[in-house]
């Protein structure tokens, strides 16, 4: 994969992240009281499934920095490509949140302050989940998502029916996580709306960046144990890092 030189994968990650945030988070912000947790979870699942069919063969349709980290640590993409993906994902997610914020401001009486589909714990959790509980939950939810992603495909791209279990898994983890933390499993999805919600949403944001990345790293380790691969672990990453040659 040559995302660092090919603009198509980066454009796909930008557009995909924008769409995921606008429609997924938008389901919570604009329609949450009408469709409930089940509807929000299905919105995320269906949007991701559609994005995989649209962009899976182009960029893998990661639209999630945690997924990209998993692919990097699994040796399926270079460090340069991963960094380029992360930039495209975060910028796309922020653009999607900006568009959603613009729409939300046109709804009379809709309060976006410290809410706006953001993630949270303690008083910002629907069930009052503690910081420690939220950290473990986000690790486990992201672990499952990235583990399934790594298991259904042998590279960084998703093709055809490979996207179905991934979309279903995002729906499943969302169903479990929405009452607990609002379900992050995606640092870009968490950061973008928090920038517009501000307040406590930003104060708690760190957890929803760190925990998904930890979950992704654990998924890579477990995947290597359960599904041993003939190639060298982190081989692509090592090739991407310059090494010092011994002096002659």
């Amino acid at each position: 994969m040559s995302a660092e030189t090919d603009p198509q994968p980066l454009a796909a990650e930008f557009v995909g992240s924008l769409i995921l945030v606008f429609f997924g988070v938008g389901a919570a912000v604009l329609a949450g009281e009408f469709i409930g947790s089940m509807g929000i979870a299905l919105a995320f699942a269906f949007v991701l499934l559609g994005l995989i069919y649209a962009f899976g063969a182009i960029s893998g349709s990661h639209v999630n920095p945690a997924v990209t980290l998993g692919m990097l640590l699994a040796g399926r993409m270079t460090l340069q490509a991963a960094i380029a993906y992360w930039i495209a994902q975060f910028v796309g997610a922020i653009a999607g949140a900006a568009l959603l914020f613009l729409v939300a401001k046109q709804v009379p009486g809709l309060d976006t302050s410290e809410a706006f589909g953001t993630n949270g714990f303690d008083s910002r959790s629907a069930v009052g989940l503690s910081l420690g509980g939220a950290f473990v939950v986000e690790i486990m939810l992201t672990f499952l998502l990235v583990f399934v992603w790594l298991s259904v495909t042998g590279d960084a791209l998703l093709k055809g029916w490979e996207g179905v279990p991934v979309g279903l898994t995002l729906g499943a983890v969302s169903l479990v996580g929405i009452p607990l933390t609002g379900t992050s499993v995606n640092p870009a999805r968490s950061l973008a709306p928090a920038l517009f919600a501000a307040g406590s949403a930003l104060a708690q944001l760190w957890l929803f960046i760190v925990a998904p990345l930890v979950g992704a790293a654990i998924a890579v380790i477990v995947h290597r144990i359960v599904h041993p691969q003939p190639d060298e672990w982190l081989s692509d990453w090592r090739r991407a890092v310059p090494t010092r040659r011994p002096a002659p």
Side-chain angles (χ1 to χ4, degrees), residues 122-148:
D122 289 337
S123 62
R124 302 191 70 252
S125 163
V127 299
L129 187 67
S130 68
L131 184 156
F135 200 86
V136 172
V137 163
E138 285 294 329
I139 287 175
M140 292 304 298
L141 296 179
T142 311
F143 159 79
L144 178 59
L145 178 64
V146 177
F147 180 78
V148 170

Side-chain angles (χ1 to χ4, degrees), residues 7 10 30 48 66 95 106 130 134-135 143 156 163 194 207 219 235 240:
L10 302 184
L30 303 174
L48 180 60
Q106 310 309 309
S130 68
F135 200 86
F143 159 79
L207 186 147
S235 58

